[in-house]
Amino acid sequence: MSLFKTPLIGLKADSFRHPLDLQATTSLKQIPGLDMMVRNWLGPVAEQVFYVENIASSVLVGEKQLPDLYQLLLEACKILDIDPPQLYIRQHPAPNAYTFAMRGKQPFIVLHTSLVELLTPQEIQAVIAHELGHLKCDHSVYLTPVNLLVLAAAIVPNVGTFIAQAIQTQLLEWVRCAEFTCDRAALLATQDPKVVMSVLMKLAGGSPTLAPQLNLEAFVAQARAYDDISKTEMGEMVKATRTSQLTHPVPVLRAREIDRWSSSQEYQSLLQNHGKSTSEVTSPGGWRNW
Protein backbone atom coordinates (compact mmCIF):
# COMPACT_ATOMS: atom_id res chain seq x y z
CA MET A 1 0.00 0.00 0.00
CA SER A 2 1.14 3.58 -0.50
CA LEU A 3 0.48 6.98 0.93
CA PHE A 4 0.97 10.32 -0.78
CA LYS A 5 2.98 12.75 1.32
CA THR A 6 4.40 16.15 0.53
CA PRO A 7 8.16 16.66 0.98
CA LEU A 8 8.59 20.07 2.61
CA ILE A 9 11.37 21.60 0.50
CA GLY A 10 13.31 24.33 2.27
CA LEU A 11 11.48 23.82 5.57
CA LYS A 12 12.96 25.98 8.33
CA ALA A 13 12.71 25.22 12.03
CA ASP A 14 11.14 28.54 12.93
CA SER A 15 8.32 27.96 10.46
CA PHE A 16 6.81 25.29 12.72
CA ARG A 17 8.40 26.04 16.09
CA HIS A 18 5.82 26.34 18.88
CA PRO A 19 5.67 29.87 20.38
CA LEU A 20 6.28 28.50 23.88
CA ASP A 21 9.40 26.74 22.63
CA LEU A 22 10.74 29.97 21.14
CA GLN A 23 10.11 31.85 24.36
CA ALA A 24 11.64 29.17 26.61
CA THR A 25 14.70 28.74 24.38
CA THR A 26 15.36 32.48 24.49
CA SER A 27 15.20 32.40 28.30
CA LEU A 28 17.50 29.39 28.52
CA LYS A 29 20.17 31.03 26.37
CA GLN A 30 20.23 33.99 28.76
CA ILE A 31 21.66 31.89 31.61
CA PRO A 32 25.22 33.30 32.01
CA GLY A 33 27.94 30.98 30.73
CA LEU A 34 25.56 28.11 29.97
CA ASP A 35 26.26 27.96 26.25
CA MET A 36 30.04 27.90 26.76
CA MET A 37 29.91 25.19 29.43
CA VAL A 38 27.60 23.01 27.36
CA ARG A 39 29.59 23.22 24.14
CA ASN A 40 33.14 23.29 25.48
CA TRP A 41 33.04 21.20 28.64
CA LEU A 42 30.09 18.88 29.10
CA GLY A 43 29.15 18.36 25.46
CA PRO A 44 32.28 16.55 24.23
CA VAL A 45 32.34 14.28 27.30
CA ALA A 46 28.65 13.41 27.08
CA GLU A 47 28.91 12.81 23.36
CA GLN A 48 31.74 10.32 23.76
CA VAL A 49 30.01 8.50 26.61
CA PHE A 50 26.74 8.08 24.71
CA TYR A 51 28.46 7.14 21.46
CA VAL A 52 30.46 4.37 23.12
CA GLU A 53 27.36 3.18 24.96
CA ASN A 54 25.37 2.93 21.73
CA ILE A 55 28.10 1.12 19.84
CA ALA A 56 28.49 -1.35 22.72
CA SER A 57 24.87 -2.00 23.67
CA SER A 58 22.58 -1.09 20.75
CA VAL A 59 21.99 -2.08 17.13
CA LEU A 60 22.82 0.46 14.43
CA VAL A 61 20.07 0.55 11.79
CA GLY A 62 21.08 0.75 8.13
CA GLU A 63 20.55 -0.66 4.66
CA LYS A 64 21.70 -4.10 5.81
CA GLN A 65 20.39 -3.94 9.37
CA LEU A 66 16.64 -3.59 9.94
CA PRO A 67 16.20 -1.95 6.52
CA ASP A 68 12.46 -1.37 7.00
CA LEU A 69 13.13 0.92 9.97
CA TYR A 70 15.94 2.58 8.03
CA GLN A 71 13.52 3.35 5.21
CA LEU A 72 11.13 4.99 7.66
CA LEU A 73 14.00 7.20 8.80
CA LEU A 74 14.97 8.18 5.26
CA GLU A 75 11.38 9.00 4.32
CA ALA A 76 10.90 11.22 7.37
CA CYS A 77 14.21 12.99 6.69
CA LYS A 78 13.19 13.64 3.08
CA ILE A 79 9.86 15.14 4.10
CA LEU A 80 11.38 17.32 6.84
CA ASP A 81 14.34 18.32 4.64
CA ILE A 82 17.05 17.17 7.06
CA ASP A 83 20.15 14.99 6.70
CA PRO A 84 19.67 11.49 8.19
CA PRO A 85 21.22 10.91 11.62
CA GLN A 86 22.30 7.51 12.90
CA LEU A 87 19.44 5.38 14.25
CA TYR A 88 19.97 2.82 17.01
CA ILE A 89 17.62 0.19 18.45
CA ARG A 90 18.17 -0.58 22.12
CA GLN A 91 16.73 -3.40 24.21
CA HIS A 92 14.69 -1.79 26.99
CA PRO A 93 11.34 -2.54 28.70
CA ALA A 94 10.25 1.13 28.96
CA PRO A 95 8.83 2.58 25.71
CA ASN A 96 11.01 5.59 24.94
CA ALA A 97 13.08 7.37 22.30
CA TYR A 98 15.72 10.06 22.54
CA THR A 99 18.27 11.96 20.48
CA PHE A 100 21.70 13.49 20.96
CA ALA A 101 23.90 15.76 18.90
CA MET A 102 26.55 18.44 19.17
CA ARG A 103 27.25 20.88 16.38
CA GLY A 104 29.64 19.48 13.83
CA LYS A 105 29.27 15.94 15.16
CA GLN A 106 27.29 12.89 14.05
CA PRO A 107 23.81 13.05 15.65
CA PHE A 108 21.93 9.90 16.57
CA ILE A 109 18.47 8.73 17.61
CA VAL A 110 17.74 5.78 19.89
CA LEU A 111 14.49 3.80 19.92
CA HIS A 112 13.71 1.28 22.66
CA THR A 113 12.53 -2.14 21.54
CA SER A 114 9.40 -1.93 23.72
CA LEU A 115 8.36 1.21 21.83
CA VAL A 116 8.77 -0.52 18.49
CA GLU A 117 6.65 -3.43 19.72
CA LEU A 118 3.88 -1.05 20.82
CA LEU A 119 3.49 1.01 17.64
CA THR A 120 2.53 0.54 14.01
CA PRO A 121 5.11 1.38 11.31
CA GLN A 122 3.61 4.80 10.60
CA GLU A 123 3.50 5.56 14.33
CA ILE A 124 7.16 4.57 14.59
CA GLN A 125 7.86 7.04 11.81
CA ALA A 126 6.03 9.71 13.81
CA VAL A 127 8.34 9.04 16.75
CA ILE A 128 11.40 9.19 14.51
CA ALA A 129 10.13 12.47 13.06
CA HIS A 130 9.59 13.83 16.58
CA GLU A 131 13.25 13.13 17.34
CA LEU A 132 14.25 14.66 14.01
CA GLY A 133 12.40 17.76 15.19
CA HIS A 134 14.87 18.07 18.07
CA LEU A 135 17.72 17.99 15.54
CA LYS A 136 16.01 20.34 13.10
CA CYS A 137 15.45 22.90 15.86
CA ASP A 138 18.90 22.44 17.43
CA HIS A 139 17.30 21.30 20.70
CA SER A 140 19.77 18.49 21.15
CA VAL A 141 22.66 20.91 21.64
CA TYR A 142 21.22 21.56 25.10
CA LEU A 143 18.97 18.57 25.72
CA THR A 144 21.36 15.98 27.17
CA PRO A 145 24.37 18.12 28.19
CA VAL A 146 22.26 20.53 30.24
CA ASN A 147 20.88 17.61 32.22
CA LEU A 148 24.48 16.71 32.99
CA LEU A 149 25.11 20.32 33.96
CA VAL A 150 22.29 20.14 36.49
CA LEU A 151 23.85 17.05 38.02
CA ALA A 152 27.30 18.65 38.10
CA ALA A 153 26.02 21.85 39.70
CA ALA A 154 24.24 19.87 42.39
CA ILE A 155 27.51 18.52 43.82
CA VAL A 156 29.26 21.90 44.05
CA PRO A 157 29.47 22.91 47.76
CA ASN A 158 27.16 25.65 49.09
CA VAL A 159 25.91 27.29 45.88
CA GLY A 160 25.72 24.09 43.88
CA THR A 161 22.25 23.05 45.01
CA PHE A 162 20.81 26.51 44.48
CA ILE A 163 22.26 26.73 40.96
CA ALA A 164 21.04 23.26 40.09
CA GLN A 165 17.49 24.01 41.23
CA ALA A 166 17.37 27.32 39.36
CA ILE A 167 18.66 25.78 36.15
CA GLN A 168 16.51 22.67 36.51
CA THR A 169 13.29 24.68 36.77
CA GLN A 170 14.14 26.64 33.64
CA LEU A 171 15.41 23.54 31.87
CA LEU A 172 12.27 21.49 32.54
CA GLU A 173 10.09 24.32 31.29
CA TRP A 174 12.17 24.52 28.11
CA VAL A 175 12.10 20.77 27.52
CA ARG A 176 8.31 20.63 27.90
CA CYS A 177 7.88 23.48 25.43
CA ALA A 178 10.32 21.88 22.98
CA GLU A 179 8.16 18.73 22.94
CA PHE A 180 5.26 20.68 21.46
CA THR A 181 7.47 21.72 18.55
CA CYS A 182 8.65 18.18 17.93
CA ASP A 183 5.11 16.83 17.95
CA ARG A 184 4.50 19.31 15.12
CA ALA A 185 7.49 17.81 13.28
CA ALA A 186 5.88 14.39 13.68
CA LEU A 187 2.67 15.73 12.16
CA LEU A 188 4.50 17.35 9.26
CA ALA A 189 6.25 14.05 8.50
CA THR A 190 3.22 11.78 8.78
CA GLN A 191 0.73 14.43 7.60
CA ASP A 192 -1.96 12.66 9.61
CA PRO A 193 -2.89 13.99 13.09
CA LYS A 194 -4.51 10.68 14.01
CA VAL A 195 -1.14 8.95 13.77
CA VAL A 196 0.54 11.39 16.15
CA MET A 197 -2.35 11.35 18.62
CA SER A 198 -2.43 7.56 18.50
CA VAL A 199 1.22 7.47 19.57
CA LEU A 200 0.42 9.73 22.52
CA MET A 201 -2.58 7.58 23.45
CA LYS A 202 -0.48 4.42 23.47
CA LEU A 203 2.25 6.08 25.52
CA ALA A 204 -0.39 7.16 28.03
CA GLY A 205 -2.04 3.78 28.49
CA GLY A 206 -1.10 1.26 25.87
CA SER A 207 0.57 -2.12 25.69
CA PRO A 208 1.01 -4.63 22.86
CA THR A 209 -2.11 -6.38 24.19
CA LEU A 210 -4.28 -3.32 24.81
CA ALA A 211 -3.22 -1.24 21.80
CA PRO A 212 -5.68 -2.83 19.30
CA GLN A 213 -8.56 -2.15 21.70
CA LEU A 214 -7.85 1.54 22.29
CA ASN A 215 -10.32 4.08 20.88
CA LEU A 216 -8.64 7.16 19.40
CA GLU A 217 -11.86 9.20 19.19
CA ALA A 218 -12.46 8.67 22.90
CA PHE A 219 -8.89 9.75 23.68
CA VAL A 220 -9.26 12.91 21.56
CA ALA A 221 -12.48 13.71 23.45
CA GLN A 222 -10.54 13.16 26.68
CA ALA A 223 -7.85 15.56 25.45
CA ARG A 224 -10.43 18.22 24.62
CA ALA A 225 -12.02 17.81 28.06
CA TYR A 226 -8.63 18.58 29.60
CA ASP A 227 -9.15 22.21 28.56
CA ASP A 228 -12.21 22.46 30.80
CA ILE A 229 -10.00 22.07 33.87
CA SER A 230 -8.48 25.48 33.15
CA LYS A 231 -11.85 27.20 33.52
CA THR A 232 -11.41 27.34 37.29
CA GLU A 233 -8.55 28.84 39.28
CA MET A 234 -8.17 25.66 41.32
CA GLY A 235 -8.06 23.51 38.20
CA GLU A 236 -5.38 25.65 36.61
CA MET A 237 -3.29 25.51 39.79
CA VAL A 238 -3.58 21.72 39.96
CA LYS A 239 -2.49 21.43 36.31
CA ALA A 240 0.52 23.69 36.89
CA THR A 241 1.59 21.77 39.99
CA ARG A 242 1.13 18.45 38.21
CA THR A 243 3.42 19.40 35.31
CA SER A 244 6.09 21.59 36.93
CA GLN A 245 8.56 18.75 37.51
CA LEU A 246 7.84 16.75 34.34
CA THR A 247 10.20 16.51 31.37
CA HIS A 248 7.25 16.18 28.97
CA PRO A 249 3.80 17.76 28.85
CA VAL A 250 1.07 15.29 29.80
CA PRO A 251 -0.04 13.18 26.79
CA VAL A 252 -3.59 14.56 26.64
CA LEU A 253 -2.27 18.13 26.45
CA ARG A 254 0.13 17.17 23.64
CA ALA A 255 -2.74 15.48 21.80
CA ARG A 256 -4.92 18.58 22.24
CA GLU A 257 -2.15 20.77 20.81
CA ILE A 258 -1.84 18.56 17.73
CA ASP A 259 -5.61 18.44 17.36
CA ARG A 260 -5.67 22.24 17.28
CA TRP A 261 -2.62 22.80 15.09
CA SER A 262 -3.64 20.23 12.47
CA SER A 263 -6.78 22.24 11.74
CA SER A 264 -5.02 25.62 11.75
CA GLN A 265 -4.29 27.79 8.74
CA GLU A 266 -0.63 27.84 9.79
CA TYR A 267 -0.31 24.08 9.27
CA GLN A 268 -2.15 24.12 5.95
CA SER A 269 0.00 27.02 4.72
CA LEU A 270 3.18 25.12 5.57
CA LEU A 271 2.11 22.18 3.43
CA GLN A 272 1.14 24.47 0.56
CA ASN A 273 4.13 26.83 0.68
CA HIS A 274 6.85 24.22 1.16
CA GLY A 275 5.29 21.34 -0.76
CA LYS A 276 6.92 22.03 -4.12
CA SER A 277 6.13 18.56 -5.33
CA THR A 278 4.16 15.54 -4.22
CA SER A 279 5.82 12.12 -4.20
CA GLU A 280 4.57 8.70 -3.43
CA VAL A 281 6.03 7.24 -0.26
CA THR A 282 5.61 3.49 -0.07
CA SER A 283 5.55 1.63 3.20
CA PRO A 284 8.56 -0.72 3.38
CA GLY A 285 8.12 -4.44 3.60
CA GLY A 286 4.41 -4.30 2.81
CA TRP A 287 3.57 -2.78 6.19
CA ARG A 288 0.08 -1.34 6.57
CA ASN A 289 -0.30 2.45 6.60
CA TRP A 290 -2.29 4.17 9.31
Side-chain angles (χ1 to χ4, degrees):
M1 297 179 66
S2 62
L3 178 70
F4 288 97
K5 298 180 184 178
T6 303
L8 304 176
I9 308 301
L11 180 69
K12 302 298 182 184
D14 285 346
S15 65
F16 66 91
R17 194 187 297 270
H18 195 284
L20 292 178
D21 176 19
L22 181 61
Q23 179 181 348
T25 300
T26 300
S27 298
L28 187 65
K29 289 182 177 180
Q30 292 175 351
I31 298 177
L34 177 60
D35 188 78
M36 182 186 69
M37 285 186 286
V38 167
R39 298 181 190 280
N40 297 335
W41 299 351
L42 295 178
V45 175
E47 180 182 49
Q48 189 66 23
V49 169
F50 279 105
Y51 180 74
V52 171
E53 180 67 17
N54 281 331
I55 288 294
S57 305
S58 305
V59 172
L60 177 61
V61 175
E63 293 181 356
K64 297 182 179 180
Q65 184 68 274
L66 301 174
D68 293 341
L69 290 177
Y70 186 62
Q71 189 63 33
L72 291 177
L73 169 67
L74 295 182
E75 290 169 359
C77 289
K78 179 181 179 182
I79 294 170
L80 293 176
D81 198 14
I82 183 174
D83 292 334
Q86 291 183 334
L87 175 63
Y88 290 89
I89 300 296
R90 185 178 181 86
Q91 183 69 243
H92 201 286
N96 195 20
Y98 55 91
T99 186
F100 186 89
M102 295 298 295
R103 286 179 180 169
K105 303 295 184 180
Q106 173 67 56
F108 60 81
I109 294 172
V110 178
L111 301 180
H112 286 177
T113 51
S114 53
L115 183 68
V116 175
E117 290 296 321
L118 181 62
L119 305 179
T120 67
Q122 202 173 2
E123 290 167 350
I124 294 171
Q125 188 173 61
V127 172
I128 292 173
H130 175 101
E131 298 305 322
L132 290 174
H134 284 306
L135 298 176
K136 183 85 175 181
C137 296
D138 210 19
H139 290 157
S140 50
V141 171
Y142 291 102
L143 204 56
T144 301
V146 174
N147 277 290
L148 296 178
L149 177 61
V150 171
L151 295 176
I155 65 174
V156 177
N158 301 322
V159 299
T161 301
F162 174 78
I163 294 174
Q165 290 175 346
I167 294 176
Q168 186 175 35
T169 299
Q170 210 161 348
L171 169 66
L172 289 176
E173 180 182 0
W174 168 74
V175 171
R176 289 193 299 271
C177 294
E179 294 301 314
F180 287 134
T181 294
C182 294
D183 286 343
R184 290 182 172 190
L187 175 58
L188 289 171
T190 60
Q191 297 175 17
D192 186 346
K194 291 183 179 180
V195 172
V196 181
M197 290 189 287
S198 181
V199 172
L200 296 168
M201 176 180 64
K202 290 180 179 180
L203 289 176
S207 70
T209 301
L210 294 177
Q213 306 173 47
L214 291 175
N215 185 315
L216 182 58
E217 290 185 5
F219 183 72
V220 173
Q222 176 184 337
R224 291 170 180 165
Y226 185 77
D227 286 345
D228 294 337
I229 301 175
S230 302
K231 293 181 180 179
T232 66
E233 185 176 342
M234 176 63 74
E236 185 62 28
M237 183 178 68
V238 170
K239 284 172 59 177
T241 303
R242 168 72 177 84
T243 60
S244 62
Q245 295 302 309
L246 299 178
T247 59
H248 289 59
V250 292
V252 290
L253 180 56
R254 293 171 65 183
R256 184 64 181 112
E257 283 291 306
I258 285 298
D259 185 33
R260 284 174 172 165
W261 197 61
S262 64
S263 59
S264 70
Q265 184 59 47
E266 179 184 359
Y267 170 67
Q268 297 299 327
S269 295
L270 272 176
L271 295 183
Q272 293 171 7
N273 295 338
H274 292 279
K276 304 300 182 183
S277 62
T278 302
S279 66
E280 185 179 77
V281 179
T282 305
S283 289
W287 276 343
R288 175 174 61 88
N289 281 298
W290 266 58

